[in-house]
Amino acid sequence: MSNSGNPNSSDPAITSQPTLLTGAETLWATLVGEGVRDVFGYPGGAILPAYDALRKFPIRHILVRHEQGAAHMADGYARASGRVGVAVATSGPGATNLVTGIANAMLDSIPIVCVTGQVPSKVLGTDAFQEVDITGITLPVTKHNYLVSRTEDIAPALREAFRVAQSGRPGPVLVDIAKDAQQNSAIFDFEAAAPAPYRPHPMLRADSTSIREALDLLRTAKRPVILAGHGILHSRALEQVRTLAERGQIPVACTLLGLTAFPASHPLNLGMMGMHGESWVNQAIQQADVLIACGMRFDDRVTGSLATYAPNAKKIHIEIDPAEINKNVRVDVALIGDLKEVLETLLPLLPKRDGAPWLDAISAMKGDAAVRDIQQLPDNGHLYAAHVMHDLWRETNGDAIVVTDVGQHQMWEAQYYKHDRPRSLITSGGLGTMGFALPAAIGAKVACPDREVWVVAGDGGFQMTSAELSTIAQEKLNINIAIVNNGYLGMVRQWQEFFYDKNYESTPLLSPDFVKLADAHGIHGAHVRKRGEVVSTVQAARKHDGAFLIDFHVEQEDSVYPMIPAGAALHEMIRRPAGNPLVETASKA
Amino acid sequence: MLHTFVALVEDKPGVLTRVASLFRRLNINITSLTVGNTEREEISRMTIVAEAAEDRAHRIMASLYKLENVLEVDDVGRHSAVVRELALLKVASGPETRADLFQLAEVFHARIVDLAPESLMLEITGSASKIEGLVQILVQSNHKILEMARTGRMAMRRGHHTSRVVEALGDATPHTESALAGKPKHVALDLIAEEDQHNSI
């Protein structure tokens, strides 16, 4: 057993009555009161008082190898569980190392709270040892942050941080606590420190007029498409979106982060939209007459050229953040509010409609491009990433939490691993942070110890945070790792192939023997070079009690297809060249 | 176009940075920004004037509201409002030019607030165009402006309009040792209820 639970845990009743505590004790007592059981962190001078008090509280601390890992773990923890993830770091470099992870959480609206130590309040602003203005640095990448210099402000700031992180459109919050505030004592009163209730954004607006307008559009729609985004998970509106789709017989296209918000096997699910979406998904959007955007933000990766985006569609945008309305795409009806609440108002008024003609038309578009069952392909000796993803999906029954890094493998995973369970794909969407997968998977596994967790990473991104293998070993976490190793920074190489005359500048990548690297950490591993070895090795990894790393040596210069070049129209895609063993495009229609 | 926003914000360290940073991020230059006390100790009032395309007002307001310390935003440029600015002008002036400057001051309803052997100081309040008018005349009349300081615009809506936030707070108890002062001031709407609770204990 790893250090689950501390022998000297105090009574959870610590929050029940006002007590004199040090700031350090107050910090943990407040976290316990907020329901925190696990934190990811790294000690250091300015946060030492807090670490000194940690053993008195029923909190599991996972020691990371780099603070970026701590922030990503908190992020993965939050995505897997829906609860707030917590990262702890010291001042100065500890705090700055968090920044990439915080920005990642900001871009994907993930509720995390980062606690940093700060130099004593008396020397604030003097360039003291390991002092950095972390509230200043993180201002644009947090939803809010706090600089706490008095012990009595610790509990109110932390409690408000938890409220801010989770309410409205979620996001990361940082609480920077001066060392002396941790050392001094004050009365800790959990109840009195309660934050003021959530104050909804004053520009929320989903009134009866807008609802009626939306209903009118839906009622007369001939070719409607639902655009399913990450907000469905945040709002916990999965049932409502499903009802909307089923009652209206409306096909659903998902964003990358919305992929697990609607079951992949549902007959109305078209799949992923955007830059690497299937052609019929993007064609359906381009031909649609009504788009119902649910908790998504028309990111440039899903719209392609805005000038030609869904030119004939009336757009209904259901979104909790008013700043997203008309930001990229002008919409006709904006329902600004919590997605679940808006849909609950709208659904009872939505009549059933016959979607068959439109659904048939989309099915017809699939044509031979829909030949997705690559298992039928003869084994020609090559190992393609698509095979790996496909077999991984089959072998895990689509049931695992898959945590991907950023790049080609991320898109292949999105294309070939069919997710039916909510929150079963954890990936860095908005910021596109290489190095995310391994630490985020640790967070996911800590949050959901009973779930099967797979890391899917490229050989490039994996090396950015591979030090966290030690964390896996120390915490004895049963995480399986699939490295899609093509010897290149693959997505960059693909862009060089398409847009820079195959000038593969600085993309060929020498990597260590990942299996030996795993072995150095006491983690089992295996190389896979042939398609025939994929299934048996995945099975071996699943059977193995403990972490297991598989280094898949895949085709080196394979690309992700189809692809819409940045800035091109959604229907102008680059197709897989004919003659390639993956039949995705076959003949030209 | 020139947008004028009034923002009621919490009076805390760093709030100005958060607001300014938002405009920086949107790559919008702030023409003027004034901050000062309000009728309430815990709330500051900002008048922000910025040049941006007309359709950006919604985005700016929505983004301002996303800042936790911002309580209310009003796009006063779209309403009938009193907009004022104050300027101090130090003008080179000896005995021979003084009379002309006194005359100009009278026409512009400016005041002479300092008189030195070789200069005088004018104080003028009004709309930006009035101040710019005075500056233009001074320059054209070959007066040398040695220094100029302008406050930037302040704005207040005409009529009985009061912000929702302030309304919810009830009557003002300006600048006293009110019980509100020491409280976490986050959501103004709930302060009163919270105070009542404490009194009843």
Side-chain angles (χ1 to χ4, degrees), chain A residues 72 79 99-108 141 257 297 406 428-434:
Chain A
H72 287 327
R79 292 189 208 227
V99 172
T100 299
I102 295 173
N104 187 71
M106 184 70 176
L107 270 283
D108 287 349
V141 292
L257 294 184
R297 58 186 174 94
V406 171
S428 167
L431 194 65
T433 312
M434 287 172 70

PDB file of all heavy atoms in Angstrom, chain A residues 72 79 99-108 141 257 297 406 428-434:
ATOM      1  N   HIS A  72      -0.609  19.511 -14.027  1.00  0.00           N
ATOM      2  CA  HIS A  72      -1.286  18.605 -14.963  1.00  0.00           C
ATOM      3  C   HIS A  72      -1.998  17.475 -14.225  1.00  0.00           C
ATOM      4  O   HIS A  72      -3.062  17.022 -14.647  1.00  0.00           O
ATOM      5  CB  HIS A  72      -0.270  17.996 -15.942  1.00  0.00           C
ATOM      6  CG  HIS A  72       0.223  18.961 -16.986  1.00  0.00           C
ATOM      7  ND1 HIS A  72      -0.553  19.963 -17.507  1.00  0.00           N
ATOM      8  CD2 HIS A  72       1.424  19.058 -17.609  1.00  0.00           C
ATOM      9  CE1 HIS A  72       0.138  20.635 -18.400  1.00  0.00           C
ATOM     10  NE2 HIS A  72       1.348  20.116 -18.481  1.00  0.00           N
ATOM     11  N   ARG A  79     -10.510  16.397 -14.448  1.00  0.00           N
ATOM     12  CA  ARG A  79     -11.221  15.941 -15.649  1.00  0.00           C
ATOM     13  C   ARG A  79     -11.810  14.552 -15.456  1.00  0.00           C
ATOM     14  O   ARG A  79     -12.904  14.256 -15.940  1.00  0.00           O
ATOM     15  CB  ARG A  79     -10.275  15.909 -16.845  1.00  0.00           C
ATOM     16  CG  ARG A  79      -9.834  17.285 -17.293  1.00  0.00           C
ATOM     17  CD  ARG A  79      -9.090  17.183 -18.619  1.00  0.00           C
ATOM     18  NE  ARG A  79      -8.132  18.261 -18.744  1.00  0.00           N
ATOM     19  CZ  ARG A  79      -7.993  19.011 -19.831  1.00  0.00           C
ATOM     20  NH1 ARG A  79      -8.761  18.816 -20.876  1.00  0.00           N
ATOM     21  NH2 ARG A  79      -7.093  19.959 -19.877  1.00  0.00           N
ATOM     22  N   VAL A  99       3.140  27.203 -14.191  1.00  0.00           N
ATOM     23  CA  VAL A  99       2.401  28.115 -15.082  1.00  0.00           C
ATOM     24  C   VAL A  99       1.841  27.410 -16.320  1.00  0.00           C
ATOM     25  O   VAL A  99       0.678  27.617 -16.692  1.00  0.00           O
ATOM     26  CB  VAL A  99       3.279  29.329 -15.472  1.00  0.00           C
ATOM     27  CG1 VAL A  99       2.597  30.166 -16.535  1.00  0.00           C
ATOM     28  CG2 VAL A  99       3.543  30.182 -14.246  1.00  0.00           C
ATOM     29  N   THR A 100       2.646  26.563 -16.967  1.00  0.00           N
ATOM     30  CA  THR A 100       2.155  25.881 -18.166  1.00  0.00           C
ATOM     31  C   THR A 100       0.914  25.051 -17.837  1.00  0.00           C
ATOM     32  O   THR A 100      -0.068  25.052 -18.587  1.00  0.00           O
ATOM     33  CB  THR A 100       3.256  24.972 -18.745  1.00  0.00           C
ATOM     34  OG1 THR A 100       4.368  25.790 -19.090  1.00  0.00           O
ATOM     35  CG2 THR A 100       2.775  24.242 -19.992  1.00  0.00           C
ATOM     36  N   GLY A 101       0.964  24.368 -16.704  1.00  0.00           N
ATOM     37  CA  GLY A 101      -0.179  23.547 -16.305  1.00  0.00           C
ATOM     38  C   GLY A 101      -1.412  24.385 -15.992  1.00  0.00           C
ATOM     39  O   GLY A 101      -2.539  23.985 -16.285  1.00  0.00           O
ATOM     40  N   ILE A 102      -1.182  25.548 -15.417  1.00  0.00           N
ATOM     41  CA  ILE A 102      -2.307  26.439 -15.107  1.00  0.00           C
ATOM     42  C   ILE A 102      -2.926  26.964 -16.409  1.00  0.00           C
ATOM     43  O   ILE A 102      -4.151  26.969 -16.578  1.00  0.00           O
ATOM     44  CB  ILE A 102      -1.836  27.613 -14.219  1.00  0.00           C
ATOM     45  CG1 ILE A 102      -1.373  27.100 -12.843  1.00  0.00           C
ATOM     46  CG2 ILE A 102      -2.942  28.633 -14.054  1.00  0.00           C
ATOM     47  CD1 ILE A 102      -0.729  28.159 -11.972  1.00  0.00           C
ATOM     48  N   ALA A 103      -2.060  27.360 -17.332  1.00  0.00           N
ATOM     49  CA  ALA A 103      -2.558  27.871 -18.624  1.00  0.00           C
ATOM     50  C   ALA A 103      -3.347  26.787 -19.348  1.00  0.00           C
ATOM     51  O   ALA A 103      -4.385  27.051 -19.968  1.00  0.00           O
ATOM     52  CB  ALA A 103      -1.394  28.356 -19.482  1.00  0.00           C
ATOM     53  N   ASN A 104      -2.849  25.560 -19.247  1.00  0.00           N
ATOM     54  CA  ASN A 104      -3.556  24.442 -19.875  1.00  0.00           C
ATOM     55  C   ASN A 104      -4.963  24.294 -19.298  1.00  0.00           C
ATOM     56  O   ASN A 104      -5.938  24.126 -20.021  1.00  0.00           O
ATOM     57  CB  ASN A 104      -2.752  23.151 -19.659  1.00  0.00           C
ATOM     58  CG  ASN A 104      -3.330  21.987 -20.415  1.00  0.00           C
ATOM     59  OD1 ASN A 104      -3.242  21.927 -21.629  1.00  0.00           O
ATOM     60  ND2 ASN A 104      -3.965  21.073 -19.702  1.00  0.00           N
ATOM     61  N   ALA A 105      -5.055  24.388 -17.975  1.00  0.00           N
ATOM     62  CA  ALA A 105      -6.365  24.276 -17.313  1.00  0.00           C
ATOM     63  C   ALA A 105      -7.259  25.461 -17.682  1.00  0.00           C
ATOM     64  O   ALA A 105      -8.473  25.322 -17.837  1.00  0.00           O
ATOM     65  CB  ALA A 105      -6.178  24.196 -15.795  1.00  0.00           C
ATOM     66  N   MET A 106      -6.660  26.623 -17.849  1.00  0.00           N
ATOM     67  CA  MET A 106      -7.433  27.818 -18.204  1.00  0.00           C
ATOM     68  C   MET A 106      -8.061  27.652 -19.589  1.00  0.00           C
ATOM     69  O   MET A 106      -9.246  27.907 -19.781  1.00  0.00           O
ATOM     70  CB  MET A 106      -6.498  29.035 -18.196  1.00  0.00           C
ATOM     71  CG  MET A 106      -7.202  30.355 -18.459  1.00  0.00           C
ATOM     72  SD  MET A 106      -8.248  30.816 -17.057  1.00  0.00           S
ATOM     73  CE  MET A 106      -8.818  32.429 -17.596  1.00  0.00           C
ATOM     74  N   LEU A 107      -7.259  27.206 -20.539  1.00  0.00           N
ATOM     75  CA  LEU A 107      -7.746  27.111 -21.918  1.00  0.00           C
ATOM     76  C   LEU A 107      -8.828  26.045 -22.060  1.00  0.00           C
ATOM     77  O   LEU A 107      -9.668  26.120 -22.947  1.00  0.00           O
ATOM     78  CB  LEU A 107      -6.580  26.822 -22.870  1.00  0.00           C
ATOM     79  CG  LEU A 107      -5.841  28.006 -23.487  1.00  0.00           C
ATOM     80  CD1 LEU A 107      -6.644  28.626 -24.611  1.00  0.00           C
ATOM     81  CD2 LEU A 107      -5.510  29.086 -22.477  1.00  0.00           C
ATOM     82  N   ASP A 108      -8.798  25.032 -21.195  1.00  0.00           N
ATOM     83  CA  ASP A 108      -9.817  23.989 -21.268  1.00  0.00           C
ATOM     84  C   ASP A 108     -10.864  24.107 -20.150  1.00  0.00           C
ATOM     85  O   ASP A 108     -11.664  23.191 -19.960  1.00  0.00           O
ATOM     86  CB  ASP A 108      -9.162  22.595 -21.224  1.00  0.00           C
ATOM     87  CG  ASP A 108      -8.450  22.253 -22.539  1.00  0.00           C
ATOM     88  OD1 ASP A 108      -8.648  22.992 -23.516  1.00  0.00           O
ATOM     89  OD2 ASP A 108      -7.709  21.256 -22.566  1.00  0.00           O
ATOM     90  N   VAL A 141      -3.701  33.847 -16.886  1.00  0.00           N
ATOM     91  CA  VAL A 141      -3.971  32.424 -17.111  1.00  0.00           C
ATOM     92  C   VAL A 141      -4.699  31.781 -15.936  1.00  0.00           C
ATOM     93  O   VAL A 141      -4.771  30.556 -15.844  1.00  0.00           O
ATOM     94  CB  VAL A 141      -2.685  31.626 -17.434  1.00  0.00           C
ATOM     95  CG1 VAL A 141      -2.127  32.039 -18.784  1.00  0.00           C
ATOM     96  CG2 VAL A 141      -1.640  31.776 -16.346  1.00  0.00           C
ATOM     97  N   LEU A 257     -12.816  17.971 -27.240  1.00  0.00           N
ATOM     98  CA  LEU A 257     -13.083  17.851 -25.807  1.00  0.00           C
ATOM     99  C   LEU A 257     -14.514  17.420 -25.528  1.00  0.00           C
ATOM    100  O   LEU A 257     -14.863  17.098 -24.396  1.00  0.00           O
ATOM    101  CB  LEU A 257     -12.779  19.172 -25.093  1.00  0.00           C
ATOM    102  CG  LEU A 257     -11.310  19.603 -25.093  1.00  0.00           C
ATOM    103  CD1 LEU A 257     -11.114  20.865 -24.266  1.00  0.00           C
ATOM    104  CD2 LEU A 257     -10.416  18.504 -24.551  1.00  0.00           C
ATOM    105  N   ARG A 297     -17.044  26.572 -28.297  1.00  0.00           N
ATOM    106  CA  ARG A 297     -16.722  27.985 -28.511  1.00  0.00           C
ATOM    107  C   ARG A 297     -16.239  28.300 -29.919  1.00  0.00           C
ATOM    108  O   ARG A 297     -15.533  29.278 -30.126  1.00  0.00           O
ATOM    109  CB  ARG A 297     -15.713  28.452 -27.481  1.00  0.00           C
ATOM    110  CG  ARG A 297     -14.396  27.674 -27.451  1.00  0.00           C
ATOM    111  CD  ARG A 297     -13.539  28.145 -26.277  1.00  0.00           C
ATOM    112  NE  ARG A 297     -12.345  27.362 -26.090  1.00  0.00           N
ATOM    113  CZ  ARG A 297     -11.143  27.669 -26.595  1.00  0.00           C
ATOM    114  NH1 ARG A 297     -10.991  28.737 -27.342  1.00  0.00           N
ATOM    115  NH2 ARG A 297     -10.110  26.905 -26.353  1.00  0.00           N
ATOM    116  N   VAL A 406      -0.186  15.541 -27.049  1.00  0.00           N
ATOM    117  CA  VAL A 406      -0.602  16.439 -28.124  1.00  0.00           C
ATOM    118  C   VAL A 406       0.176  16.130 -29.391  1.00  0.00           C
ATOM    119  O   VAL A 406       1.399  16.020 -29.355  1.00  0.00           O
ATOM    120  CB  VAL A 406      -0.386  17.905 -27.708  1.00  0.00           C
ATOM    121  CG1 VAL A 406      -0.611  18.845 -28.877  1.00  0.00           C
ATOM    122  CG2 VAL A 406      -1.335  18.252 -26.568  1.00  0.00           C
ATOM    123  N   SER A 428      -5.330  17.493 -23.854  1.00  0.00           N
ATOM    124  CA  SER A 428      -5.108  18.932 -23.822  1.00  0.00           C
ATOM    125  C   SER A 428      -5.591  19.539 -25.130  1.00  0.00           C
ATOM    126  O   SER A 428      -4.982  19.340 -26.174  1.00  0.00           O
ATOM    127  CB  SER A 428      -3.610  19.195 -23.609  1.00  0.00           C
ATOM    128  OG  SER A 428      -3.326  20.550 -23.866  1.00  0.00           O
ATOM    129  N   GLY A 429      -6.695  20.264 -25.075  1.00  0.00           N
ATOM    130  CA  GLY A 429      -7.305  20.778 -26.300  1.00  0.00           C
ATOM    131  C   GLY A 429      -6.862  22.193 -26.638  1.00  0.00           C
ATOM    132  O   GLY A 429      -6.192  22.442 -27.626  1.00  0.00           O
ATOM    133  N   GLY A 430      -7.226  23.132 -25.789  1.00  0.00           N
ATOM    134  CA  GLY A 430      -7.030  24.540 -26.109  1.00  0.00           C
ATOM    135  C   GLY A 430      -5.574  24.945 -26.188  1.00  0.00           C
ATOM    136  O   GLY A 430      -5.141  25.606 -27.138  1.00  0.00           O
ATOM    137  N   LEU A 431      -4.791  24.561 -25.188  1.00  0.00           N
ATOM    138  CA  LEU A 431      -3.394  24.990 -25.173  1.00  0.00           C
ATOM    139  C   LEU A 431      -2.521  24.062 -26.002  1.00  0.00           C
ATOM    140  O   LEU A 431      -1.482  24.465 -26.500  1.00  0.00           O
ATOM    141  CB  LEU A 431      -2.874  25.069 -23.732  1.00  0.00           C
ATOM    142  CG  LEU A 431      -1.551  25.826 -23.543  1.00  0.00           C
ATOM    143  CD1 LEU A 431      -1.698  27.302 -23.880  1.00  0.00           C
ATOM    144  CD2 LEU A 431      -1.010  25.666 -22.135  1.00  0.00           C
ATOM    145  N   GLY A 432      -2.945  22.786 -26.155  1.00  0.00           N
ATOM    146  CA  GLY A 432      -2.127  21.838 -26.902  1.00  0.00           C
ATOM    147  C   GLY A 432      -0.771  21.659 -26.248  1.00  0.00           C
ATOM    148  O   GLY A 432       0.257  21.929 -26.847  1.00  0.00           O
ATOM    149  N   THR A 433      -0.788  21.184 -25.006  1.00  0.00           N
ATOM    150  CA  THR A 433       0.427  21.127 -24.199  1.00  0.00           C
ATOM    151  C   THR A 433       1.105  19.775 -24.320  1.00  0.00           C
ATOM    152  O   THR A 433       0.629  18.776 -23.758  1.00  0.00           O
ATOM    153  CB  THR A 433       0.082  21.368 -22.711  1.00  0.00           C
ATOM    154  OG1 THR A 433      -0.765  22.507 -22.614  1.00  0.00           O
ATOM    155  CG2 THR A 433       1.340  21.590 -21.903  1.00  0.00           C
ATOM    156  N   MET A 434       2.214  19.708 -25.037  1.00  0.00           N
ATOM    157  CA  MET A 434       2.986  18.475 -25.057  1.00  0.00           C
ATOM    158  C   MET A 434       3.507  18.208 -23.642  1.00  0.00           C
ATOM    159  O   MET A 434       3.835  19.128 -22.905  1.00  0.00           O
ATOM    160  CB  MET A 434       4.154  18.580 -26.038  1.00  0.00           C
ATOM    161  CG  MET A 434       3.715  18.525 -27.495  1.00  0.00           C
ATOM    162  SD  MET A 434       5.072  18.867 -28.636  1.00  0.00           S
ATOM    163  CE  MET A 434       6.073  17.391 -28.450  1.00  0.00           C
TER     164      MET A 434
END
